Amino acid sequence: MRPAFKISQMYGLQTQRLRNVAILTPSLFKIRSGRKRLFWQDDVLEFDSSTLLLTKAGQQLTFENEPSKERFLSAQMSFQRPPPEAMIELSITVNAQRTPSLKPSRSLMASLDFLFELDTDGLSETTQAYWLNGFYQQLAEVGKLHLLFDGHFVPFAQKVTELLQQTPWQGYQLDQVAAHFSVSRATLIRRLKDENTQFRTLLTRVRMNHAISLMQQGYRQQIDIAVRCGYQSQERFSQRFYKSFGITPSEYIKTL
């Protein structure tokens, strides 16, 4: 059964500076301890426990995570199911601005905390949608839902990304992925190009995000992390990580 949303956490014991971190699915971030400093367009936005960060799939974020009381901790809720189109239209009508921050009301935060604690195992997709749509409606009423979704559809690039996320270490080939979506290799390339991306770009972003996730889970041996991300060469993995985030794997591990 496909969950309507997934939850992950990120922590740090020292300041973490990362650039161009890909958001693979529409996501909401809640800071539990410390502060996140987001470099957004020509501005710098500050996030703490009183402010939520909302981002669409496909965005790349450059930020600093700053510990408080020796620890930074945030929770990410990744949404796998889009809201009804009418909710998105309502959100835009209420507030067309696109600054990705929200100071939630007490009731909205209570709904969010409920979802964070909700055990979705064994819940039908209909039941999950019931609870999630209630939260979507609250976001729409304060004009923030459209910060997560452009419309009631899942972009093709996101569908490909979700496939790659299942086994990021696998040696994916274009023909194999095209067959999964019942399209030709040329059609796969064209549809991704129409969304301003490429297959290799998506695969790299998935693998690099997976690398960070592994480090967050306690993996420390770089060759082990490299193999689990689909790289047979530690040097190649390290180069790709640095090119993606502006920091080496060793430097990132030192912040944990």
Side-chain angles (χ1 to χ4, degrees), residues 192-209:
L192 291 178
K193 184 178 180 180
D194 288 344
E195 296 182 10
N196 299 313
T197 191
Q198 303 176 35
F199 174 75
R200 185 57 56 181
T201 298
L202 296 180
L203 181 58
T204 298
R205 289 176 179 174
V206 167
R207 286 177 168 177
M208 291 299 99
N209 279 27

Side-chain angles (χ1 to χ4, degrees), residues 8-10 16-27 29 36-40 53-65 72 74 76 78 161 165 201-202 204-213 215-216 240-248 252 255:
S8 58
Q9 298 201 58
M10 175 176 283
Q16 298 169 328
R17 297 180 177 89
L18 295 170
R19 71 184 185 198
N20 299 329
V21 177
I23 304 302
L24 303 179
T25 55
S27 296
F29 295 83
K36 180 185 288 287
R37 185 175 296 108
L38 176 67
F39 299 92
W40 178 260
L53 169 61
L54 300 91
T55 61
K56 295 177 181 177
Q59 291 184 323
Q60 292 182 277
L61 304 183
T62 296
F63 57 81
E64 294 180 355
N65 294 332
F72 171 86
S74 69
Q76 176 180 356
S78 302
T161 295
Q165 283 181 291
T201 298
L202 296 180
T204 298
R205 289 176 179 174
V206 167
R207 286 177 168 177
M208 291 299 99
N209 279 27
H210 185 56
I212 287 181
S213 177
M215 295 176 196
Q216 286 282 325
R240 183 67 67 180
F241 192 93
Y242 180 79
K243 184 177 181 180
S244 296
F245 302 129
I247 185 174
T248 67
Y252 183 74
T255 71

Side-chain angles (χ1 to χ4, degrees), residues 73-87:
L73 180 63
S74 69
Q76 176 180 356
M77 181 175 290
S78 302
F79 301 102
Q80 312 293 311
R81 181 188 181 97
E85 188 70 36
M87 290 187 186

Side-chain angles (χ1 to χ4, degrees), residues 28 52 54 77 79 83-84 86-88 90-92 94-95 101-116 129-149:
L28 178 152
L52 303 176
L54 300 91
M77 181 175 290
F79 301 102
M87 290 187 186
I88 299 174
L90 170 62
S91 179
I92 296 173
V94 172
N95 183 2
S101 61
L102 168 63
K103 287 190 175 295
S105 64
R106 183 176 300 178
S107 60
L108 195 150
M109 186 64 83
S111 296
L112 177 60
D113 288 339
F114 171 80
L115 290 178
F116 272 123
Y130 173 83
W131 293 115
L132 185 56
N133 281 341
F135 180 64
Y136 283 162
Q137 179 66 27
Q138 286 181 283
L139 288 177
E141 290 174 358
V142 295
K144 293 295 183 178
L145 184 61
H146 63 285
L147 299 179
L148 294 170
F149 300 94

